[in-house]
Amino acid sequence: MIDKNTISESYNEKQREAIAFSGKHLLLLAGAGTGKTKTIVGRAEYLINQGYRPEKIQILTFTKRAASEIVERVKAGISDQDVRSLNGSTFHSWCNQLIIKFPNLFGAANYTVIDPDDQLSIMKMACGAASEDYGKTRLKPQQLLDLFSFARNTRINLTETLRKLLFKGKDDLQTTEDINALKPQVELLIKEYQSQKLRQQYLDYDDLLLVVANRLNKDAEAREILAKAYDHILIDEMQDTNPLQWYLLKPFENICHLFCVGDDAQSIYSFRGADFKNVHLFQERVANSEIKVLDKNYRSTQEILDLSNWLLETSPINYNKRLTASRGAGKQPTIVNVANQFEEANYIANHILESFSEGGNSFTDFLILSRSQYYTRPLQAVFLQKKIPYQTFGGRKFLEAAHIKDLVSVLRVINNPMDEIAWIRFFTFIHGIGAVRATSYMSEVMRIEPENVHGLDLTSIIPGKEGIKAKSYYDAAYQNRGNVKMAIKDLYKTMEFDLAMKYSKDWYEKRKGDFPVLEILSENYATLGEFISEGILDNSANVAGSNTLGGSKINTAELKDHVTISTVHSAKGLEADVCFVLNVSPKTYPSAYSLGNIEEVEEDRRVLYVALTRAKNDLIITRSKESINAYHHQTDKDEDDTSDSAYFLEGLPEHLALQTSPKSFTAPVTDAKKANTIDLDLGMDFS
DNA sequence: TTTAGTCACGTTTTT
DNA sequence: CGTGACTAAA
């Protein structure tokens, strides 16, 4: 379809300039809805049409979902070439692939990637091993991990990390003294954590990036090898990259071309070390680079943008941004004042069902955004009750669910017999074995010579019926170790009864159906090791309350019609006809946690901005009456409260939004006819 | 001494 | 919903 040397008419002038950019490196500042993803897709297509090999183009995004969307779209646009080898992934997944692809270069190919739960277990072990120092700190293992991760991601030293995270950035004599007193213990515990990890051959998320980045920054030979592997790197959401990711990208400045796309007004990851000001320093940091801008919005109506623009303009920070709608005027945004979460949920459910009876809509037209995952629970309950199909984004991941981890722990010990956490999880799963005995059995396993560990007879370690049980699990997986899917299938058959017992409360409702999904998921992986590592890094599948299946690898082909419920953070890049933004109340926007800290308040503002700019035609904001009243009440009294003007919608000009309350919905709600035809049974069509 | 089971509690945001 | 503290039972 696409002529090799011209770019499709569907792009505007500026998009085309970016797509055909012929300099070395580019930063494209693209506001919300200005065709950011489309332009990345266009760039990838253009490069392939120019003759660059698809496997030498790497697309980097923040979420797996965004990555696969871009790759799918490129593949759909190019028919006559082999674009299967085009690779799109998250920073973490990409580093993991590099580590596996170049085993000699990074020397960590046999390591197991661990998730945050495992990190916590290891940090607990480390604190146990160095209990004297741990006792002096009064810090929890999770806090220690947060400190360490923040330091590594921002690449600032421990003293300053402690100051920022524990002492709110205070820089006085007393604080410095406190820090100096605390630092040696923290340092020691982190060292212990590091050595535990190394001994058990684990890589945590930060390690993945650091292993690759360190090597490339220090070793010219490594850079040469990768220079042969890559021509172009296309990076999405550049404003969210943190110093560690910059450190990873820096060597590529001389290896290949960088095409970076971002929007400073949508930077919402500072808690992970990202700094939106970084995009402003792009040209100073990257030699031979240029900046281009996209500012024409194709997504929303002008009314929606007026409200969004107003939000940014009331900020003390100058974002220098004013989006204009190429689509023109439409419907005014609505603010609905609700009494409580239940009314809010019902209002939304009824609104969706009503627009159904009027015809023309499908569930996919609706997107519901929340500040936190937690807040959407009542909504999910109402949706289940009214049989509205929905999918959630954000929240606990599929492979982090307890019942899945139980099964995967057996696969993990076969894949990496040094994996102490997995051994302990495996052993404690067996009824009658608790933490104490599990730990002692695990130590016995560790004493076995490495060459004899594979395929060992567990009854020689664990006596009685527990030993027989352990052996039966182990063997079921071990006999199928060459075939991931078979291993899961057999292992599940062996474990099913015990799993059902352990999770008897919600086994049939929530858990059972996940195992067929796990089997399907595993089909994409050739080896146990790949399944475990990549699976852990795959954020796209989640379980929490979903009544459809998550996972880009499972069902991109047969997407069902469903409403999307998402946290704002997970919604970047999403858009929808009708968009609900939940609970835009004081103490949420900005969050009570952020009050008093200007930078955090401004980040919350950007969170709201991202939420508002998802809507194409209809933007509906809900907020709780009580919190508004309480807010006014409180601020009337506290004259000197510095936060009295903090609430983002305070002082909103009347013409920008229409205020209403939910009309009473006493009539029994009739479910949409369409809704009834949708099968809510989990995992049903995968047998 | 070890394990299993119950209850209350508190939850930003993500790889 | 998952964690942590506590109790009862093995």
Side-chain angles (χ1 to χ4, degrees), chain A residues 156-353:
Chain A
I156 61 180
N157 63 41
L158 189 55
T159 303
E160 293 312 310
T161 303
L162 290 168
R163 192 192 306 283
K164 188 160 166 65
L165 260 45
L166 260 32
F167 299 92
K168 295 182 174 175
K170 270 186 288 186
D171 191 2
D172 51 50
L173 217 63
Q174 181 60 48
T175 308
T176 309
E177 236 172 71
D178 290 346
I179 291 172
N180 288 337
L182 191 61
K183 195 178 152 194
Q185 283 93 286
V186 174
E187 222 158 26
L188 204 131
L189 291 165
I190 288 174
K191 272 193 190 138
E192 182 60 34
Y193 168 75
Q194 288 289 71
S195 70
Q196 293 261 351
K197 235 174 17 177
L198 196 67
R199 181 168 52 81
Q200 300 173 59
Q201 308 205 323
Y202 291 136
L203 294 175
D204 64 27
Y205 286 174
D206 298 336
D207 289 329
L208 287 169
L209 268 64
L210 269 168
V211 163
V212 175
N214 279 336
R215 191 77 190 165
L216 290 177
N217 276 288
K218 288 172 187 165
D219 184 352
E221 216 177 305
R223 289 196 291 274
E224 257 172 59
I225 292 171
L226 284 208
K228 284 181 194 138
Y230 292 103
D231 293 326
H232 289 271
I233 298 181
L234 318 185
I235 303 149
D236 196 9
E237 310 289 6
M238 194 62 189
Q239 76 283 355
D240 290 325
T241 50
N242 61 33
L244 175 55
Q245 286 155 334
W246 274 89
Y247 179 57
L248 172 68
L249 288 175
K250 189 73 187 164
F252 287 94
E253 191 187 319
N254 300 314
I255 287 176
C256 58
H257 297 264
L258 301 177
F259 185 86
C260 311
V261 185
D263 177 11
D264 50 350
Q266 293 188 66
S267 168
I268 53 176
Y269 280 91
S270 73
F271 64 90
R272 207 170 69 176
D275 185 346
F276 76 99
K277 288 173 227 126
N278 278 341
V279 295
H280 300 152
L281 299 172
F282 188 82
Q283 275 187 302
E284 288 168 41
R285 289 196 182 188
V286 182
N288 299 318
S289 63
E290 286 176 41
I291 294 182
K292 289 180 187 293
V293 178
L294 301 181
D295 52 10
K296 199 166 215 180
N297 180 293
Y298 293 93
R299 179 183 296 152
S300 312
T301 59
Q302 190 59 49
E303 284 79 359
I304 291 166
L305 295 184
D306 284 343
L307 181 57
S308 310
N309 286 333
W310 171 83
L311 179 70
L312 287 192
E313 279 157 14
T314 51
S315 161
I317 296 178
N318 183 10
Y319 289 99
N320 223 346
K321 191 148 306 209
R322 186 152 240 293
L323 293 174
T324 44
S326 75
R327 294 181 48 207
K331 209 171 150 189
Q332 202 180 17
T334 315
I335 296 178
V336 185
N337 296 310
V338 296
N340 51 46
Q341 259 194 293
F342 179 72
E343 192 178 270
E344 180 181 51
N346 277 289
Y347 172 80
I348 292 170
N350 290 335
H351 187 106
I352 291 172
L353 293 174

Side-chain angles (χ1 to χ4, degrees), chain A residues 3 49 64 127 168 245 272 304 330 345 350 378 382 413 418-419 424 455 487 504 521 597 645 655:
Chain A
D3 185 300
N49 284 328
K64 202 111 180 171
C127 292
K168 295 182 174 175
Q245 286 155 334
R272 207 170 69 176
I304 291 166
N350 290 335
V382 170
V413 301
M418 308 291 282
D419 193 335
I424 289 175
S504 52
L521 198 66
N597 181 328
S645 62
H655 69 275

